[in-house]
Amino acid sequence: MDINMLAEHFAHTSFRVEQVFRYSRDPGMRCDGYTEPFPGFVFPLRGKAEFVFNGTPYTLAPGNVVHGGAHMHLDRHVLGDSRWEYLLVLYRICAPEPGGFCLPKSHFELVPGHSPRLTELLELLWKVSREPGGISAFQTEMLFRCALEELFVCVRNQSNDGEQALFEQISKYIQEHYMEALTVRALAEQNEMNENRLFYVFKKYTGMGPGKYLMAYRLNRAKECLLANDAPIGEVANGVGYTDALYFSRIFKKQFGVSPGEFRATFRNNPYGFQDGSIPQ
């Protein structure tokens, strides 16, 4: 989600707060159903939970925010041993939106990090929204817009340094643990994010998703092993994280054009055997 495009869309969209809810749920609680007839933002206050909008999972905790559309299938599961508490702000679109985007049909995650000002605004929003009268209704609208402004600014500030640091952290972990049974889902859960965001970060910095990055790193390590020793192909495969030697050989040949055995036989004593003078990467 491009935060500048999202902010511009909200700047040109007529909307108003429909309702503000504050929920608290016990550890382990599960619930499924559908979202309200209005889009809304889920602001985590404490604890952790998984929300699944139309099959797409999001792990929610203080430091990230999720937007859900209207009439979407929603599964919820409280994670960990702490109570899960969050603020839900539903809003109504009052006029046709600008082209190219439809908020009631959209779900996405934003990562503002920990913002004391955002927390303060949300607490005040909850308090004011419960009070009767026109002034309170006006204040509720203004506070929601202030909360959105703080959210968008924090996400913008996080996006550059935060995404690069996140990529470096996860790629370093892959390089140190590539021989283990890693999965994209496990990497996402370990870093408390959904798989969509993990894919976005890797695509931004490598041009490929995390699964392909992991495979490429493993296969390049396998090439080094094949040239360095006479270990059986199955042992080389297992050493780079593949328990199935046939599968390893198949993807190796697909990546480099030769089988692991052919690669070793051709380039063991002649690493510059390719016509262009380089070992395939």
Side-chain angles (χ1 to χ4, degrees):
M1 176 58 61
D2 185 303
I3 193 60
N4 288 307
M5 291 179 61
L6 180 64
E8 183 176 4
H9 188 84
F10 268 96
H12 294 92
T13 298
S14 176
F15 65 94
R16 66 176 178 83
V17 175
E18 183 65 26
Q19 205 157 2
V20 180
F21 299 97
R22 186 168 189 153
Y23 293 108
S24 182
R25 298 290 184 257
D26 292 328
M29 182 176 178
R30 293 178 177 271
C31 180
D32 65 349
Y34 288 86
T35 61
E36 300 287 342
F38 307 100
F41 284 90
V42 179
F43 295 96
L45 300 176
R46 56 183 55 84
K48 184 187 297 186
E50 181 182 66
F51 277 37
V52 184
F53 290 93
N54 285 348
T56 300
Y58 297 94
T59 300
L60 286 81
N64 69 335
V65 173
V66 167
H67 178 277
H71 299 294
M72 290 184 171
H73 187 266
L74 175 62
D75 294 326
R76 288 159 287 183
H77 177 206
V78 180
L79 306 175
D81 300 324
S82 302
R83 285 182 65 82
W84 158 245
E85 188 172 349
Y86 65 99
L87 205 68
L88 171 63
V89 183
L90 301 175
Y91 64 94
R92 179 191 295 270
I93 304 295
C94 304
E97 296 178 72
F101 200 74
C102 182
L103 290 166
K105 296 182 179 180
S106 301
H107 56 80
F108 52 84
E109 179 184 31
L110 300 173
V111 184
H114 294 279
S115 167
R117 172 168 166 74
L118 180 58
T119 300
E120 180 182 355
L121 286 168
L122 293 174
E123 292 289 349
L124 190 55
L125 172 62
W126 166 241
K127 178 182 178 182
V128 169
S129 68
R130 301 173 66 197
E131 298 175 357
I135 293 179
S136 296
F138 179 80
Q139 290 175 327
T140 296
E141 297 293 337
M142 296 302 295
L143 284 167
F144 180 50
R145 283 161 173 75
C146 288
L148 287 182
E149 178 191 14
E150 178 67 13
L151 172 64
F152 295 160
V153 169
C154 288
V155 171
R156 181 194 63 188
N157 293 342
Q158 285 273 347
S159 61
N160 294 326
D161 296 339
E163 285 180 354
Q164 183 173 357
L166 184 62
F167 167 72
E168 292 175 354
Q169 172 184 317
I170 299 176
S171 61
K172 181 180 179 181
Y173 184 88
I174 288 175
Q175 293 166 20
E176 293 176 348
H177 299 269
Y178 66 91
M179 70 294 296
E180 301 173 8
L182 301 181
T183 65
V184 173
R185 183 176 181 83
L187 288 170
E189 290 178 351
Q190 178 180 318
N191 290 276
E192 300 184 346
M193 66 174 66
N194 64 68
E195 295 177 45
N196 290 339
R197 181 162 185 258
L198 181 61
F199 182 87
Y200 168 80
V201 170
F202 268 77
K203 189 74 173 177
K204 178 177 180 179
Y205 288 99
T206 69
M208 66 182 77
K212 190 170 182 180
Y213 178 91
L214 172 61
M215 183 191 74
Y217 192 85
R218 283 172 164 171
L219 293 181
N220 280 314
R221 298 292 72 76
K223 285 196 311 179
E224 295 175 359
C225 293
L226 289 167
L227 296 178
N229 57 59
D230 295 314
I233 301 301
E235 185 176 321
V236 172
N238 191 65
V240 296
Y242 294 107
T243 57
D244 186 335
L246 291 178
Y247 174 74
F248 164 74
S249 296
R250 185 164 65 250
I251 62 173
F252 189 99
K253 185 170 184 178
K254 183 177 181 180
Q255 181 82 351
F256 302 123
V258 293
S259 70
E262 291 170 335
F263 177 86
R264 171 182 275 162
T266 304
F267 303 107
R268 178 71 179 273
N269 297 314
N270 181 21
Y272 300 102
F274 278 95
Q275 291 183 355
D276 65 356
S278 63
I279 298 174
Q281 298 297 317

